Amino acid sequence: MTTADTDAHVSFAANEARFYLHELFFSRTDARGVIQYGNSVFQRVSDYSWQELIGAPHKIIRHPEMPRGAFWLMWDKIKKREPVGTYVQNRSKEGLFYWVYAIVTPMDEGYLSVRMKPTSDVFSLIKAEYAALLAREEEEQLTPERSAEVFIERLDALGFPDYESFMAHAARQESKARSKALKKPRDEAAFIFSTMTNALRTVRRTGEDIVRQFEAIRSTPLNMRIQAEQLGDQSAVLSVISMNYTTLSDEIYERIRVFLDSSDTALEKIRTGLFLSCTCSLQKELLAQFEREEPLDNGLSKEEEVERLQKQMSDYRLESDNALRSISNEAERFIFNCVCLKRILSGLNMTRVLSQIEVARIGNEAQSMKSIISQLVDFQANTRECLNLIERESMVIRQGVRQQIADARQETLAAS
């Protein structure tokens, strides 16, 4: 099935501009948002002539049903020279609407916006959220900044702790849905990043399990010490053992807390890497489409624009590679911490064995301690199982990074 065959099945509303699934379009603006360049798809869908577009503010295509908070979020990021992904409803010169998923990146002194037609489930969700947000803006006279805050609150309620998490998820889902509809090969880079994200989520959940298990038995070594003191001098060794047990288990607990904090950092880096990977793929496809176009009748140099797009793609490939190196460091840190935790757990196991030997030596008077030791045995077994799982998932992350780096290197060699 060709892209034309696929798009032949796409239906449009009566008041919707024809923007097809296989198409991508871009516009480049200066720092104020004034249009400097674009491709033929942008001109056709907007329905303005080049004379009307070049030098005009980008808001010439703004749709009145777009909430101002969405634009506030976009400008807040790009003014900081950060890339952003966002859903936008535009309006053509004739008043027809068209939706895009846009990835906007700083370029020279201005910005580059690359757009695809959105089709994922996330898009359906966001259309409803935008409508609700627009209604609140009008009813409550929200400022753009306050509207943005309301939208972020809604995203949090939907499971996205910050806008960056939402951007990475939306970029991945739109790319995935588009590739599936167009019968394109799977985006391996995005797939690997998604695999790493799932692995890291497992790492975090497992770390939280260890914390919960520790808190459940936190008082157990103290109970052992109390009972040992009740047995008198003959159980002095048990008191020392219980204190050692407390020290070692506290060390595991503290390391796991640090581990959980670092997992938040790692997840942020993986999400950044995923978004940058989707950005690179979109820019690469856009460049290929643009190079096939005939020179535009806008009086500007297509060759110079191709060079700008090539440089932009190269710059973001470098950004993506840097993100990979950062993720690699986090994965190695996870694996190292697992090794350290297992060493501490081995010390805990030795302490538990010594306590069992001491209880057997004391005899019947120490029988009450067997249930306490049983709790410690269960805690150690569960913790070891959790650490093994964390180590396996950390290796999945490391392997994902290595595969990405190898693929990027192969792509660079092929390009040269």
Side-chain angles (χ1 to χ4, degrees):
M1 180 181 289
T2 66
T3 54
D5 292 332
T6 303
D7 279 333
H9 295 84
V10 175
S11 60
F12 295 92
N15 59 337
E16 184 177 2
R18 272 29 178 189
F19 174 33
Y20 294 96
L21 194 59
H22 72 276
E23 296 178 313
L24 297 175
F25 70 85
F26 81 94
S27 57
R28 177 173 58 83
T29 72
D30 64 13
R32 298 171 299 151
V34 174
I35 299 170
Q36 305 292 300
Y37 207 103
N39 66 340
S40 62
V41 182
F42 172 53
Q43 187 272 324
R44 190 202 81 225
V45 176
S46 70
D47 203 30
Y48 287 94
S49 68
W50 282 119
Q51 288 71 27
E52 292 171 305
L53 287 172
I54 302 300
H58 211 280
K59 64 183 179 182
I60 192 175
I61 58 170
R62 181 176 296 185
H63 198 288
E65 293 181 4
M66 269 294 293
R68 292 182 298 164
F71 286 115
W72 190 95
L73 279 169
M74 182 186 73
W75 277 100
D76 181 59
K77 289 190 71 66
I78 61 177
K79 282 179 178 177
K80 298 173 184 173
R81 311 303 290 172
E82 297 175 2
V84 63
T86 187
Y87 291 92
V88 180
Q89 183 177 198
N90 292 142
R91 184 170 64 174
S92 74
K93 181 179 179 179
E94 296 302 315
L96 303 180
F97 79 89
Y98 57 98
W99 280 94
V100 302
Y101 178 74
I103 292 183
V104 186
T105 55
M107 184 181 194
D108 299 330
E109 297 303 314
Y111 311 104
L112 172 72
S113 177
V114 181
R115 279 93 99 191
M116 72 171 86
K117 185 180 182 68
T119 56
S120 77
D121 291 341
V122 183
F123 172 49
S124 301
L125 173 70
I126 287 305
K127 282 197 294 184
E129 291 298 326
Y130 275 9
L133 184 60
L134 182 65
R136 283 195 62 176
E137 284 184 351
E138 294 171 350
E139 291 169 9
E140 303 174 28
Q141 295 297 297
L142 300 179
T143 64
E145 185 174 3
R146 176 56 190 148
S147 174
E149 291 172 353
V150 169
F151 185 54
I152 293 297
E153 289 166 5
R154 280 295 301 150
L155 289 179
D156 184 55
L158 292 169
F160 302 102
D162 49 46
Y163 193 69
E164 290 71 24
S165 302
F166 170 71
M167 286 195 325
H169 179 73
R172 167 61 175 152
Q173 293 308 310
E174 290 304 336
S175 297
K176 186 177 178 181
R178 183 171 179 269
S179 294
K180 182 178 180 181
L182 295 176
K183 310 297 183 185
K184 294 173 60 178
R186 183 176 71 183
D187 185 335
E188 289 299 327
F191 175 75
I192 291 170
F193 272 114
S194 295
T195 300
M196 288 192 285
T197 299
N198 293 333
L200 187 54
R201 285 174 178 157
T202 300
V203 166
R204 180 166 183 82
R205 283 196 303 270
T206 307
E208 290 169 345
D209 286 343
I210 294 176
V211 169
R212 281 192 292 271
Q213 291 168 24
F214 174 83
E215 290 173 346
I217 63 99
R218 195 161 200 167
S219 62
T220 302
L222 176 60
N223 293 335
M224 178 192 285
R225 191 155 62 250
I226 291 172
Q227 290 199 30
E229 290 171 355
Q230 292 173 350
L231 292 173
D233 293 341
Q234 63 176 333
S235 63
V237 174
L238 275 177
S239 293
V240 173
I241 289 173
S242 67
M243 286 189 286
N244 288 340
Y245 206 103
T246 298
T247 300
L248 290 170
S249 57
D250 281 350
E251 188 172 353
I252 289 177
Y253 177 80
E254 292 304 322
R255 278 186 173 270
I256 286 293
R257 295 303 313 178
V258 172
F259 198 93
L260 291 176
D261 290 341
S262 64
S263 72
D264 288 338
T265 301
L267 185 57
E268 179 182 339
K269 290 178 179 179
I270 289 176
R271 284 170 177 161
T272 298
L274 173 58
F275 182 73
L276 289 172
S277 175
C278 291
T279 298
C280 290
S281 295
L282 197 63
Q283 290 176 346
K284 181 180 179 181
E285 185 178 347
L286 179 277
L287 177 61
Q289 287 190 18
F290 183 58
E291 286 180 319
R292 291 193 297 269
E293 288 186 8
E294 293 297 323
L296 307 179
D297 60 347
N298 56 13
L300 301 172
S301 169
K302 178 185 174 183
E303 289 75 14
E304 290 180 5
E305 201 64 23
V306 167
E307 288 179 8
R308 285 192 182 95
L309 292 175
Q310 287 174 334
K311 182 178 184 304
Q312 186 79 346
M313 185 180 69
S314 176
D315 288 346
Y316 272 84
R317 173 58 64 192
L318 181 60
E319 290 276 345
S320 182
D321 290 346
N322 289 338
L324 278 174
R325 281 189 282 272
S326 183
I327 295 166
S328 177
N329 292 337
E330 293 295 334
E332 293 298 341
R333 190 174 294 115
F334 280 170
I335 294 170
F336 175 76
N337 281 335
C338 279
V339 171
C340 293
L341 283 164
K342 283 185 173 182
R343 282 202 200 104
I344 299 171
L345 197 63
S346 295
L348 208 59
N349 185 60
M350 180 60 68
T351 302
R352 187 258 306 166
V353 170
L354 290 175
S355 65
Q356 289 176 312
I357 293 172
E358 190 63 15
V359 166
R361 183 189 67 77
I362 296 173
N364 292 334
E365 295 180 32
Q367 290 305 303
S368 60
M369 287 200 179
K370 287 188 175 181
S371 63
I372 294 176
I373 293 174
S374 178
Q375 293 175 30
L376 300 179
V377 169
D378 290 342
F379 168 69
Q380 288 176 220
N382 292 334
T383 300
R384 182 171 294 280
E385 184 177 338
C386 287
L387 289 176
N388 287 336
L389 178 57
I390 288 174
E391 191 170 33
R392 285 198 300 272
E393 295 301 316
S394 297
M395 289 179 177
V396 168
I397 297 171
R398 182 173 66 181
Q399 181 57 36
V401 172
R402 289 177 175 175
Q403 184 62 51
Q404 277 283 77
I405 291 173
D407 290 347
R409 186 178 295 118
Q410 188 65 33
E411 185 177 329
T412 301
L413 289 173
S416 60

